[in-house]
Coordinates of all heavy atoms in Angstrom, one line a residue:
M30 N -3.7 5.9 -9.6 CA -4.3 4.8 -8.8 C -4.8 3.8 -9.8 O -5.6 4.1 -10.6 CB -5.4 5.5 -8.1 CG -6.3 4.6 -7.2 SD -7.4 5.4 -6.1 CE -8.6 6.0 -7.2
G31 N -4.3 2.6 -9.6 CA -4.8 1.5 -10.4 C -5.9 0.7 -9.9 O -6.3 1.0 -8.8
A32 N -6.4 -0.2 -10.6 CA -7.4 -1.1 -10.1 C -6.8 -2.4 -9.4 O -5.7 -2.8 -9.7 CB -8.3 -1.5 -11.3
K33 N -7.5 -2.9 -8.5 CA -7.0 -4.0 -7.8 C -7.2 -5.3 -8.6 O -8.3 -5.6 -9.1 CB -7.9 -4.2 -6.5 CG -7.5 -5.3 -5.6 CD -8.4 -5.2 -4.3 CE -8.2 -6.4 -3.5 NZ -9.0 -6.3 -2.3
A34 N -6.1 -6.0 -8.8 CA -6.1 -7.3 -9.6 C -6.9 -8.4 -8.8 O -7.0 -8.3 -7.6 CB -4.6 -7.8 -9.8
E35 N -7.5 -9.2 -9.5 CA -8.2 -10.3 -8.9 C -7.4 -11.4 -8.2 O -7.8 -12.0 -7.2 CB -9.2 -11.0 -9.9 CG -10.3 -10.0 -10.4 CD -11.3 -10.7 -11.4 OE1 -11.3 -11.9 -11.3 OE2 -11.8 -9.9 -12.2
E36 N -6.3 -11.6 -8.8 CA -5.4 -12.8 -8.3 C -4.5 -12.3 -7.3 O -3.7 -11.3 -7.4 CB -4.6 -13.4 -9.4 CG -3.8 -14.6 -9.1 CD -3.2 -15.2 -10.3 OE1 -3.8 -15.2 -11.4 OE2 -2.1 -15.8 -10.2
K37 N -4.5 -13.0 -6.1 CA -3.6 -12.6 -5.0 C -2.1 -12.9 -5.4 O -1.8 -13.8 -6.0 CB -4.0 -13.5 -3.8 CG -3.2 -13.2 -2.5 CD -3.8 -13.9 -1.3 CE -3.6 -15.4 -1.4 NZ -3.8 -16.1 -0.2
L38 N -1.3 -11.9 -4.8 CA 0.2 -12.1 -5.0 C 0.7 -13.0 -4.0 O 0.3 -13.0 -2.8 CB 0.9 -10.8 -4.9 CG 0.7 -9.7 -5.9 CD1 1.3 -8.4 -5.5 CD2 1.2 -10.2 -7.3
E39 N 1.6 -13.9 -4.3 CA 2.3 -14.8 -3.3 C 3.6 -14.0 -3.1 O 4.6 -14.1 -4.0 CB 2.5 -16.2 -3.8 CG 1.2 -17.0 -4.0 CD 0.4 -17.0 -2.7 OE1 1.0 -17.2 -1.6 OE2 -0.9 -17.1 -2.8
I40 N 3.8 -13.3 -1.9 CA 5.0 -12.5 -1.7 C 5.4 -12.5 -0.4 O 4.6 -12.5 0.6 CB 4.6 -11.0 -2.3 CG1 5.9 -10.2 -2.4 CG2 3.6 -10.4 -1.4 CD1 5.5 -9.0 -3.2
S41 N 6.7 -12.5 -0.1 CA 7.2 -12.4 1.2 C 7.5 -11.0 1.6 O 7.5 -10.1 0.7 CB 8.6 -13.2 1.3 OG 9.6 -12.5 0.6
L42 N 7.7 -10.7 2.9 CA 8.0 -9.4 3.3 C 9.2 -8.8 2.6 O 9.3 -7.6 2.2 CB 8.2 -9.3 4.8 CG 8.4 -7.9 5.4 CD1 7.2 -6.9 5.1 CD2 8.5 -8.1 6.9
D43 N 10.3 -9.6 2.5 CA 11.4 -9.2 1.8 C 11.2 -8.9 0.3 O 11.8 -7.9 -0.2 CB 12.6 -10.2 1.8 CG 13.2 -10.4 3.3 OD1 13.0 -9.4 4.0 OD2 13.8 -11.3 3.5
E44 N 10.4 -9.6 -0.4 CA 10.0 -9.4 -1.8 C 9.2 -8.2 -1.9 O 9.2 -7.6 -3.1 CB 9.3 -10.7 -2.3 CG 10.2 -11.9 -2.4 CD 9.4 -13.1 -2.6 OE1 8.3 -13.2 -2.3 OE2 10.0 -14.0 -3.3
L45 N 8.4 -7.8 -0.9 CA 7.5 -6.6 -1.0 C 8.4 -5.4 -1.3 O 8.0 -4.6 -2.1 CB 6.7 -6.5 0.3 CG 5.7 -5.3 0.3 CD1 4.7 -5.4 -0.9 CD2 5.0 -5.4 1.6
T46 N 9.5 -5.2 -0.7 CA 10.4 -4.1 -0.8 C 10.7 -4.0 -2.3 O 10.6 -3.0 -3.0 CB 11.5 -4.2 0.0 OG1 11.3 -4.1 1.4 CG2 12.6 -3.1 -0.3
T47 N 11.2 -5.1 -2.9 CA 11.5 -5.1 -4.4 C 10.4 -4.8 -5.1 O 10.5 -4.1 -6.2 CB 12.2 -6.5 -4.7 OG1 13.4 -6.6 -3.7 CG2 12.7 -6.5 -6.0
Y48 N 9.3 -5.4 -4.9 CA 8.0 -5.3 -5.6 C 7.7 -3.8 -5.7 O 7.3 -3.3 -6.8 CB 6.9 -6.1 -5.1 CG 5.6 -6.1 -5.8 CD1 5.4 -7.0 -6.8 CD2 4.7 -5.1 -5.7 CE1 4.3 -7.0 -7.7 CE2 3.6 -5.1 -6.4 CZ 3.3 -6.0 -7.5 OH 2.2 -5.9 -8.2
L49 N 7.6 -3.2 -4.5 CA 7.3 -1.8 -4.4 C 8.2 -0.8 -5.2 O 7.8 0.1 -5.9 CB 7.2 -1.2 -3.0 CG 5.9 -1.8 -2.2 CD1 6.1 -1.5 -0.7 CD2 4.7 -1.1 -2.9
H50 N 9.6 -1.2 -5.2 CA 10.5 -0.4 -6.0 C 10.1 -0.5 -7.5 O 10.3 0.5 -8.2 CB 11.9 -0.9 -5.7 CG 12.6 -0.3 -4.6 ND1 12.9 1.1 -4.4 CD2 13.1 -0.8 -3.4 CE1 13.6 1.4 -3.4 NE2 13.7 0.3 -2.6
A51 N 9.8 -1.7 -7.9 CA 9.6 -1.9 -9.3 C 8.1 -1.4 -9.8 O 8.1 -1.0 -10.9 CB 9.8 -3.4 -9.7
N52 N 7.2 -1.6 -8.9 CA 5.8 -1.4 -9.4 C 5.2 -0.1 -8.8 O 4.1 0.2 -9.2 CB 5.0 -2.6 -9.1 CG 5.4 -3.8 -9.9 OD1 5.2 -3.9 -11.0 ND2 6.2 -4.7 -9.1
H53 N 5.7 0.4 -7.7 CA 5.3 1.7 -7.1 C 4.0 1.6 -6.3 O 3.6 2.7 -5.6 CB 5.2 2.8 -8.1 CG 6.4 3.0 -8.9 ND1 7.5 3.7 -8.4 CD2 6.8 2.6 -10.1 CE1 8.5 3.7 -9.3 NE2 8.0 3.1 -10.3
S54 N 3.3 0.5 -6.3 CA 2.0 0.4 -5.6 C 1.6 -1.1 -5.5 O 2.0 -1.9 -6.3 CB 1.0 1.2 -6.2 OG 0.6 0.8 -7.5
V55 N 0.8 -1.4 -4.4 CA 0.1 -2.7 -4.3 C -1.1 -2.5 -3.4 O -1.1 -1.6 -2.5 CB 1.2 -3.6 -3.6 CG1 1.6 -3.3 -2.2 CG2 0.7 -5.1 -3.8
Y56 N -2.1 -3.3 -3.5 CA -3.2 -3.3 -2.6 C -3.0 -4.3 -1.5 O -2.3 -5.4 -1.7 CB -4.5 -3.7 -3.3 CG -5.1 -2.7 -4.2 CD1 -4.7 -2.4 -5.5 CD2 -6.0 -1.8 -3.7 CE1 -5.2 -1.3 -6.2 CE2 -6.6 -0.8 -4.3 CZ -6.2 -0.5 -5.7 OH -6.8 0.4 -6.4
M57 N -3.4 -4.0 -0.3 CA -3.2 -4.9 0.8 C -4.5 -5.0 1.6 O -5.2 -4.0 1.9 CB -2.2 -4.3 1.8 CG -2.0 -5.1 3.1 SD -0.8 -4.5 4.3 CE -1.7 -3.0 4.9
D58 N -5.1 -6.2 1.7 CA -6.3 -6.6 2.5 C -5.9 -7.1 3.8 O -5.1 -8.1 3.8 CB -7.2 -7.5 1.7 CG -7.9 -6.8 0.5 OD1 -7.7 -5.6 0.3 OD2 -8.5 -7.5 -0.3
V59 N -6.4 -6.6 4.8 CA -6.1 -7.2 6.2 C -7.2 -6.8 7.1 O -7.8 -5.6 7.0 CB -4.8 -6.6 6.8 CG1 -4.8 -5.1 6.9 CG2 -4.3 -7.3 7.9
D60 N -7.7 -7.7 7.9 CA -8.7 -7.5 9.0 C -10.0 -6.9 8.4 O -10.6 -5.9 9.0 CB -8.1 -6.6 10.1 CG -7.1 -7.3 10.9 OD1 -7.1 -8.5 10.9 OD2 -6.2 -6.7 11.5
G61 N -10.4 -7.3 7.2 CA -11.6 -6.7 6.6 C -11.5 -5.4 5.9 O -12.6 -4.9 5.5
A62 N -10.3 -4.8 5.9 CA -10.1 -3.5 5.3 C -9.1 -3.7 4.1 O -8.4 -4.6 4.1 CB -9.6 -2.6 6.3
S63 N -9.2 -2.7 3.2 CA -8.4 -2.7 2.0 C -7.6 -1.4 2.1 O -8.2 -0.3 2.3 CB -9.2 -2.9 0.7 OG -8.3 -3.0 -0.4
Y64 N -6.2 -1.5 1.7 CA -5.4 -0.4 1.7 C -4.7 -0.3 0.4 O -4.3 -1.4 -0.1 CB -4.4 -0.4 3.0 CG -5.1 -0.4 4.2 CD1 -5.4 -1.6 4.9 CD2 -5.5 0.8 4.8 CE1 -6.1 -1.6 6.1 CE2 -6.1 0.8 6.0 CZ -6.4 -0.4 6.7 OH -7.0 -0.3 7.9
Y65 N -4.3 0.8 0.0 CA -3.4 1.0 -1.1 C -2.0 1.6 -0.7 O -1.9 2.6 -0.1 CB -4.1 2.1 -2.1 CG -3.5 2.1 -3.5 CD1 -3.5 1.0 -4.3 CD2 -3.2 3.4 -4.0 CE1 -3.0 1.2 -5.6 CE2 -2.6 3.5 -5.3 CZ -2.5 2.4 -6.1 OH -2.2 2.4 -7.4
L66 N -1.0 0.8 -0.9 CA 0.4 1.1 -0.5 C 1.0 1.7 -1.8 O 1.1 1.1 -2.8 CB 1.1 -0.1 -0.1 CG 0.4 -1.0 0.9 CD1 1.3 -2.2 1.2 CD2 -0.1 -0.2 2.2
T67 N 1.4 2.9 -1.8 CA 1.8 3.7 -3.0 C 2.9 4.7 -2.7 O 3.0 5.3 -1.6 CB 0.7 4.3 -3.8 OG1 1.1 4.7 -5.0 CG2 0.0 5.4 -3.0
D68 N 3.6 5.1 -3.7 CA 4.5 6.2 -3.6 C 3.8 7.5 -4.1 O 2.8 7.4 -4.7 CB 5.8 6.0 -4.5 CG 5.5 5.9 -6.0 OD1 4.5 6.0 -6.4 OD2 6.5 5.6 -6.7
A69 N 4.4 8.6 -3.7 CA 3.8 10.0 -4.1 C 4.9 10.6 -4.9 O 5.9 11.0 -4.3 CB 3.4 10.7 -2.9
N70 N 4.7 10.9 -6.1 CA 5.7 11.4 -7.0 C 7.1 10.7 -7.0 O 8.1 11.3 -7.0 CB 5.9 12.9 -6.7 CG 4.6 13.7 -6.8 OD1 3.8 13.3 -7.7 ND2 4.3 14.5 -6.0
D71 N 7.1 9.4 -6.7 CA 8.3 8.6 -6.9 C 9.3 9.0 -5.8 O 10.5 8.6 -5.8 CB 8.9 8.8 -8.3 CG 9.4 7.5 -8.8 OD1 9.1 6.3 -8.2 OD2 10.2 7.5 -9.7
R72 N 8.9 9.7 -4.7 CA 9.8 10.2 -3.7 C 9.4 9.8 -2.3 O 10.2 9.7 -1.4 CB 10.0 11.7 -3.8 CG 10.7 12.1 -5.0 CD 10.9 13.6 -4.9 NE 12.1 13.9 -5.7 CZ 12.7 14.9 -5.6 NH1 12.4 15.9 -4.8 NH2 13.7 15.2 -6.4
Y73 N 8.1 9.7 -2.0 CA 7.6 9.4 -0.7 C 6.6 8.3 -0.7 O 5.9 8.1 -1.7 CB 6.9 10.7 -0.1 CG 7.9 11.9 0.2 CD1 8.2 12.8 -0.8 CD2 8.6 11.8 1.4 CE1 9.1 13.8 -0.5 CE2 9.5 12.8 1.7 CZ 9.7 13.8 0.7 OH 10.6 14.8 1.0
W74 N 6.5 7.6 0.4 CA 5.6 6.4 0.5 C 4.4 6.7 1.5 O 4.7 7.4 2.4 CB 6.4 5.2 0.8 CG 7.3 4.9 -0.2 CD1 8.6 5.4 -0.4 CD2 7.0 4.1 -1.4 NE1 9.1 4.8 -1.5 CE2 8.2 4.0 -2.1 CE3 6.0 3.2 -1.7 CZ2 8.3 3.3 -3.3 CZ3 6.0 2.6 -2.9 CH2 7.2 2.6 -3.6
R75 N 3.2 6.1 1.2 CA 2.1 6.3 2.1 C 1.1 5.2 2.0 O 1.1 4.5 1.0 CB 1.4 7.6 1.7 CG 0.8 7.6 0.3 CD 0.2 8.8 -0.2 NE -0.2 8.7 -1.5 CZ -0.3 9.7 -2.3 NH1 -0.1 10.9 -1.8 NH2 -0.6 9.5 -3.6
V76 N 0.3 5.0 3.0 CA -0.7 4.0 3.0 C -2.1 4.9 2.8 O -2.2 5.9 3.5 CB -0.8 3.3 4.4 CG1 -2.0 2.3 4.4 CG2 0.5 2.6 4.6
Q77 N -2.9 4.4 2.0 CA -4.2 5.0 1.7 C -5.4 4.0 2.0 O -5.3 2.9 1.8 CB -4.3 5.5 0.3 CG -3.3 6.6 -0.1 CD -3.4 7.0 -1.5 OE1 -3.5 6.2 -2.4 NE2 -3.4 8.4 -1.6
D78 N -6.4 4.6 2.6 CA -7.6 3.8 3.0 C -8.5 3.7 1.8 O -9.1 4.7 1.3 CB -8.3 4.5 4.2 CG -9.4 3.7 4.8 OD1 -10.0 2.8 4.0 OD2 -9.8 3.8 5.9
C79 N -8.8 2.5 1.3 CA -9.6 2.3 0.1 C -11.1 2.6 0.3 O -11.9 2.7 -0.6 CB -9.4 1.0 -0.4 SG -7.7 0.6 -1.1
S80 N -11.4 2.7 1.6 CA -12.9 2.8 1.9 C -13.4 4.4 2.0 O -14.5 4.7 2.1 CB -13.2 2.2 3.2 OG -12.7 2.9 4.3
K81 N -12.2 5.2 1.9 CA -12.5 6.6 1.9 C -12.0 7.3 0.7 O -10.8 7.1 0.3 CB -11.9 7.2 3.2 CG -12.5 6.6 4.4 CD -11.7 7.2 5.6 CE -12.2 6.4 6.9 NZ -11.4 6.7 8.1
L82 N -12.8 8.2 0.1 CA -12.3 8.9 -1.1 C -12.4 10.4 -0.8 O -13.3 10.9 -0.1 CB -13.3 8.7 -2.3 CG -13.3 7.2 -2.8 CD1 -14.4 7.1 -3.9 CD2 -12.0 6.7 -3.2
N83 N -11.5 11.2 -1.3 CA -11.5 12.7 -1.2 C -12.3 13.3 -2.4 O -12.9 12.6 -3.2 CB -10.1 13.2 -1.2 CG -9.3 13.0 -2.4 OD1 -9.8 12.7 -3.5 ND2 -7.9 13.1 -2.4
E84 N -12.3 14.6 -2.5 CA -13.1 15.3 -3.4 C -12.7 15.1 -4.9 O -13.5 15.2 -5.9 CB -13.1 16.8 -3.2 CG -11.7 17.5 -3.4 CD -10.8 17.3 -2.1 OE1 -11.2 16.8 -1.1 OE2 -9.6 17.6 -2.3
K85 N -11.5 14.5 -5.1 CA -11.0 14.1 -6.4 C -11.3 12.6 -6.7 O -10.7 12.1 -7.7 CB -9.6 14.4 -6.5 CG -9.2 15.9 -6.5 CD -7.6 16.1 -6.6 CE -7.4 17.6 -6.5 NZ -6.0 17.8 -6.7
S86 N -12.0 12.0 -5.8 CA -12.2 10.5 -5.9 C -10.9 9.7 -5.8 O -10.8 8.7 -6.4 CB -13.0 10.3 -7.1 OG -14.2 10.7 -7.1
H87 N -10.0 10.1 -5.0 CA -8.7 9.4 -4.7 C -8.8 8.9 -3.3 O -9.4 9.4 -2.4 CB -7.5 10.3 -4.8 CG -7.3 10.8 -6.2 ND1 -6.7 11.9 -6.5 CD2 -7.5 10.1 -7.4 CE1 -6.6 12.2 -7.8 NE2 -7.0 11.0 -8.4
Y88 N -8.2 7.8 -3.1 CA -8.1 7.2 -1.7 C -7.5 8.3 -0.8 O -6.7 9.1 -1.0 CB -7.4 6.0 -1.6 CG -7.8 4.8 -2.6 CD1 -6.9 4.1 -3.3 CD2 -9.2 4.5 -2.6 CE1 -7.4 3.1 -4.1 CE2 -9.6 3.5 -3.4 CZ -8.7 2.8 -4.2 OH -9.2 1.8 -5.0
V89 N -8.0 8.2 0.5 CA -7.5 9.1 1.5 C -6.3 8.5 2.3 O -6.3 7.4 2.6 CB -8.6 9.4 2.6 CG1 -8.2 10.3 3.7 CG2 -9.8 10.1 1.9
D90 N -5.3 9.4 2.5 CA -4.1 8.9 3.2 C -4.5 8.6 4.6 O -5.3 9.3 5.3 CB -3.1 10.1 3.3 CG -2.4 10.3 1.9 OD1 -2.7 9.6 0.9 OD2 -1.6 11.3 1.8
C91 N -3.9 7.5 5.2 CA -4.1 7.1 6.5 C -2.8 6.9 7.2 O -2.6 6.1 8.2 CB -5.0 5.9 6.7 SG -4.5 4.4 5.9
S92 N -1.7 7.5 6.7 CA -0.4 7.4 7.2 C 0.4 8.7 6.9 O -0.1 9.4 6.1 CB 0.5 6.2 6.7 OG 0.9 6.5 5.4
E93 N 1.5 8.8 7.5 CA 2.4 10.0 7.2 C 3.1 9.6 5.9 O 3.1 8.4 5.4 CB 3.5 10.1 8.3 CG 2.9 10.3 9.6 CD 2.6 11.8 10.0 OE1 3.2 12.7 9.4 OE2 1.7 11.9 10.8
L94 N 3.7 10.7 5.3 CA 4.5 10.4 4.1 C 5.9 10.3 4.6 O 6.5 11.0 5.4 CB 4.5 11.7 3.1 CG 3.3 11.9 2.4 CD1 3.3 13.2 1.7 CD2 3.1 10.9 1.3
V95 N 6.6 9.3 4.1 CA 8.1 9.0 4.4 C 8.9 8.7 3.2 O 8.3 8.2 2.2 CB 8.2 7.7 5.5 CG1 7.6 8.1 6.8 CG2 7.6 6.5 4.9
P96 N 10.1 9.0 3.2 CA 11.0 9.0 2.0 C 11.5 7.6 1.6 O 11.9 7.4 0.5 CB 12.1 9.9 2.4 CG 12.3 9.9 3.8 CD 10.9 9.7 4.3
T97 N 11.6 6.5 2.5 CA 12.1 5.3 2.2 C 11.2 4.2 2.4 O 10.4 4.2 3.3 CB 13.4 5.0 3.0 OG1 13.1 4.9 4.3 CG2 14.5 6.1 2.8
I98 N 11.3 3.2 1.6 CA 10.5 2.0 1.8 C 10.7 1.3 3.2 O 9.8 0.8 3.8 CB 10.6 1.0 0.7 CG1 10.1 1.5 -0.6 CG2 9.9 -0.4 0.9 CD1 10.1 0.7 -1.9
S99 N 11.9 1.2 3.5 CA 12.2 0.5 4.8 C 11.5 1.2 6.0 O 10.9 0.6 6.9 CB 13.7 0.4 5.1 OG 14.3 1.8 5.1
E100 N 11.5 2.6 6.0 CA 10.8 3.4 6.9 C 9.3 3.2 6.9 O 8.5 3.0 7.7 CB 11.1 4.8 6.7 CG 10.6 5.7 7.8 CD 11.1 7.2 7.7 OE1 11.9 7.6 6.7 OE2 10.7 8.0 8.5
F101 N 8.9 3.2 5.6 CA 7.5 2.9 5.3 C 6.9 1.6 5.8 O 5.7 1.5 6.4 CB 7.3 3.0 3.8 CG 5.9 2.7 3.2 CD1 4.9 3.5 3.5 CD2 5.7 1.6 2.3 CE1 3.5 3.2 3.0 CE2 4.5 1.3 1.8 CZ 3.4 2.1 2.1
L102 N 7.6 0.5 5.7 CA 7.1 -0.8 6.1 C 6.9 -0.8 7.7 O 6.2 -1.7 8.1 CB 8.1 -1.9 5.7 CG 8.2 -2.0 4.2 CD1 9.2 -3.1 3.9 CD2 6.8 -2.4 3.6
H103 N 7.6 0.1 8.3 CA 7.4 0.2 9.9 C 6.6 1.3 10.3 O 6.4 1.5 11.6 CB 8.9 0.2 10.5 CG 9.6 -1.0 10.3 ND1 10.5 -1.2 9.2 CD2 9.8 -2.2 10.9 CE1 11.0 -2.4 9.2 NE2 10.6 -3.0 10.3
L104 N 6.1 2.0 9.5 CA 5.3 3.2 9.7 C 3.8 2.8 10.3 O 3.2 2.2 9.6 CB 5.1 4.1 8.4 CG 4.3 5.4 8.5 CD1 5.1 6.3 9.3 CD2 4.1 5.9 7.2
P105 N 3.4 3.4 11.4 CA 2.0 3.2 11.8 C 1.0 3.8 10.8 O 1.2 4.9 10.3 CB 1.9 3.8 13.2 CG 3.3 4.1 13.6 CD 4.1 4.2 12.3
F106 N 0.0 3.1 10.6 CA -1.2 3.6 9.7 C -2.5 3.3 10.4 O -2.7 2.4 11.1 CB -1.1 3.1 8.3 CG -1.3 1.6 8.2 CD1 -2.6 1.2 7.8 CD2 -0.4 0.6 8.3 CE1 -2.9 -0.2 7.7 CE2 -0.6 -0.7 8.2 CZ -1.9 -1.2 7.8
G107 N -3.6 3.9 9.8 CA -4.9 3.6 10.2 C -5.2 3.9 11.6 O -4.4 4.4 12.4
E108 N -6.4 3.5 12.1 CA -6.8 3.8 13.4 C -6.2 2.9 14.5 O -6.1 3.3 15.6 CB -8.4 3.4 13.5 CG -9.2 4.5 12.7 CD -10.7 4.2 12.6 OE1 -11.1 3.5 13.6 OE2 -11.4 4.7 11.8
E109 N -5.7 1.7 14.2 CA -5.1 0.9 15.0 C -3.6 1.2 15.3 O -3.0 0.8 16.3 CB -5.2 -0.7 14.7 CG -6.7 -1.1 14.8 CD -6.8 -2.5 14.5 OE1 -5.9 -3.3 14.8 OE2 -7.8 -3.0 14.2
G110 N -3.0 1.9 14.3 CA -1.6 2.4 14.5 C -0.6 1.2 14.3 O 0.6 1.4 14.8
K111 N -1.0 0.2 13.6 CA 0.0 -0.9 13.3 C 0.7 -0.6 12.0 O 0.2 0.2 11.2 CB -0.7 -2.2 13.3 CG -1.4 -2.7 14.6 CD -2.0 -4.0 14.4 CE -2.5 -4.6 15.8 NZ -3.2 -5.7 15.7
S112 N 1.9 -1.3 11.8 CA 2.6 -1.1 10.7 C 2.3 -2.3 9.7 O 1.8 -3.2 10.1 CB 4.1 -1.0 11.0 OG 4.6 -2.3 11.3
I113 N 2.9 -2.1 8.4 CA 2.7 -3.1 7.4 C 3.4 -4.4 7.9 O 3.0 -5.4 7.8 CB 3.3 -2.6 6.1 CG1 2.5 -1.5 5.5 CG2 3.4 -3.8 5.1 CD1 3.2 -0.7 4.4
T114 N 4.6 -4.2 8.6 CA 5.3 -5.4 9.1 C 4.5 -6.1 10.3 O 4.6 -7.3 10.4 CB 6.7 -5.0 9.5 OG1 6.7 -4.0 10.5 CG2 7.6 -4.6 8.4
D115 N 3.8 -5.2 11.0 CA 3.0 -5.9 12.1 C 1.8 -6.7 11.5 O 1.4 -7.8 12.2 CB 2.3 -4.7 12.9 CG 3.4 -3.9 13.8 OD1 4.4 -4.4 14.1 OD2 2.9 -2.8 14.1
V116 N 1.2 -6.3 10.4 CA 0.1 -7.1 10.0 C 0.3 -7.9 8.8 O -0.5 -8.7 8.3 CB -1.0 -6.0 9.5 CG1 -1.4 -5.1 10.7 CG2 -0.7 -5.2 8.3
F117 N 1.6 -8.0 8.3 CA 2.0 -8.7 7.1 C 1.5 -10.1 7.1 O 1.0 -10.6 6.1 CB 3.5 -8.6 6.9 CG 3.9 -9.3 5.5 CD1 3.8 -8.5 4.4 CD2 4.3 -10.7 5.5 CE1 4.2 -9.1 3.2 CE2 4.6 -11.2 4.3 CZ 4.5 -10.5 3.1
D118 N 1.7 -10.9 8.2 CA 1.4 -12.3 8.2 C -0.1 -12.6 8.0 O -0.5 -13.6 7.4 CB 1.9 -13.0 9.5 CG 3.4 -13.1 9.5 OD1 4.0 -13.1 8.5 OD2 3.9 -13.3 10.7
G119 N -1.0 -11.6 8.4 CA -2.4 -11.8 8.2 C -3.0 -11.1 7.0 O -4.2 -11.0 6.7
A120 N -2.2 -10.5 6.1 CA -2.5 -9.7 5.0 C -2.5 -10.4 3.7 O -1.6 -11.4 3.6 CB -1.6 -8.4 4.9
E121 N -3.3 -10.0 2.7 CA -3.2 -10.5 1.3 C -2.9 -9.4 0.5 O -3.4 -8.3 0.7 CB -4.5 -11.2 0.9 CG -4.8 -12.4 1.7 CD -6.2 -13.0 1.3 OE1 -7.1 -12.3 0.8 OE2 -6.4 -14.2 1.7
F122 N -2.1 -9.6 -0.5 CA -1.5 -8.5 -1.4 C -2.1 -8.8 -2.9 O -2.2 -9.9 -3.3 CB -0.1 -8.4 -1.4 CG 0.4 -8.0 0.0 CD1 0.6 -8.8 1.0 CD2 0.6 -6.7 0.2 CE1 1.1 -8.5 2.2 CE2 1.0 -6.1 1.5 CZ 1.3 -7.1 2.5
Y123 N -2.4 -7.7 -3.6 CA -2.9 -7.7 -4.9 C -2.2 -6.7 -5.8 O -2.0 -5.5 -5.3 CB -4.4 -7.5 -4.9 CG -5.2 -8.5 -4.1 CD1 -5.4 -8.4 -2.8 CD2 -5.7 -9.7 -4.9 CE1 -6.1 -9.4 -2.1 CE2 -6.4 -10.6 -4.1 CZ -6.6 -10.5 -2.8 OH -7.3 -11.3 -2.1
A124 N -1.9 -7.0 -7.0 CA -1.3 -6.1 -7.8 C -2.2 -4.9 -8.1 O -3.5 -5.0 -8.1 CB -0.8 -6.8 -9.1
S125 N -1.6 -3.7 -8.5 CA -2.4 -2.6 -9.0 C -2.3 -2.6 -10.4 O -1.1 -2.5 -11.0 CB -1.9 -1.3 -8.3 OG -2.5 -0.2 -8.8
V126 N -3.3 -2.8 -11.2 CA -3.3 -2.9 -12.6 C -4.0 -1.7 -13.3 O -4.9 -1.2 -12.7 CB -3.8 -4.1 -13.1 CG1 -3.0 -5.3 -12.6 CG2 -5.3 -4.3 -12.7
K127 N -3.5 -1.3 -14.4 CA -4.2 -0.3 -15.2 C -5.6 -0.7 -15.6 O -5.6 -1.8 -16.2 CB -3.3 0.2 -16.3 CG -2.1 0.8 -15.9 CD -1.2 1.5 -17.0 CE 0.1 1.8 -16.4 NZ 0.4 3.2 -16.8
P128 N -6.5 0.1 -15.5 CA -7.9 -0.3 -15.9 C -8.0 -0.5 -17.4 O -7.2 0.4 -18.1 CB -8.9 0.8 -15.4 CG -8.1 1.5 -14.4 CD -6.7 1.3 -14.6
E129 N -8.7 -1.4 -18.0 CA -8.7 -1.6 -19.4 C -9.8 -0.7 -20.0 O -10.7 -0.3 -19.4 CB -9.1 -3.1 -19.7 CG -8.0 -3.9 -19.2 CD -8.3 -5.4 -19.5 OE1 -9.2 -5.7 -20.2 OE2 -7.6 -6.2 -18.8

């Protein structure tokens, strides 16, 4: 789990797929909430809620695990059950950077 970069990414939905393949994670802020979009062991994708931590101080999953990014972008997450594609136009994205 990386730290959230300060500078917002200017990225399109099509570019998000390529970005996730290359970088494996990104932060997404939408509707006053922050989410961590990440892979699990380079095989599965999930959305995690940044406001909730588990006993290991990792973000808590708020979506199912799915094997492809295309499936991941349409996967319902969180309490409202919307997908990344549903909320994309109102979302802001930030790189996940290694803490210094």
Side-chain angles (χ1 to χ4, degrees):
M30 174 170 70
K33 183 177 171 183
E35 291 183 26
E36 189 172 323
K37 184 172 71 166
L38 293 172
E39 296 298 331
I40 194 166
S41 70
L42 184 56
D43 289 336
E44 292 167 332
L45 182 59
T46 299
T47 303
Y48 185 90
L49 287 170
H50 272 297
N52 296 285
H53 306 279
S54 61
V55 68
Y56 282 88
M57 177 179 76
D58 289 354
V59 63
D60 296 330
S63 188
Y64 300 95
Y65 193 56
L66 314 181
T67 187
D68 63 4
N70 301 323
D71 225 14
R72 293 186 154 196
Y73 292 93
W74 294 90
R75 64 185 172 204
V76 178
Q77 296 181 311
D78 186 336
C79 295
S80 70
K81 299 175 184 172
L82 299 175
N83 65 18
E84 64 280 350
K85 295 180 181 179
S86 294
H87 294 145
Y88 301 135
V89 174
D90 292 356
C91 64
S92 77
E93 303 279 331
L94 289 170
V95 293
T97 66
I98 292 178
S99 60
E100 189 176 358
F101 175 61
L102 295 176
H103 294 89
L104 180 70
F106 70 92
E108 293 177 18
E109 292 187 26
K111 293 184 178 179
S112 70
I113 295 166
T114 55
D115 290 337
V116 301
F117 185 85
D118 288 338
E121 294 180 341
F122 295 88
Y123 298 84
S125 176
V126 296
K127 296 186 186 230
E129 295 179 15

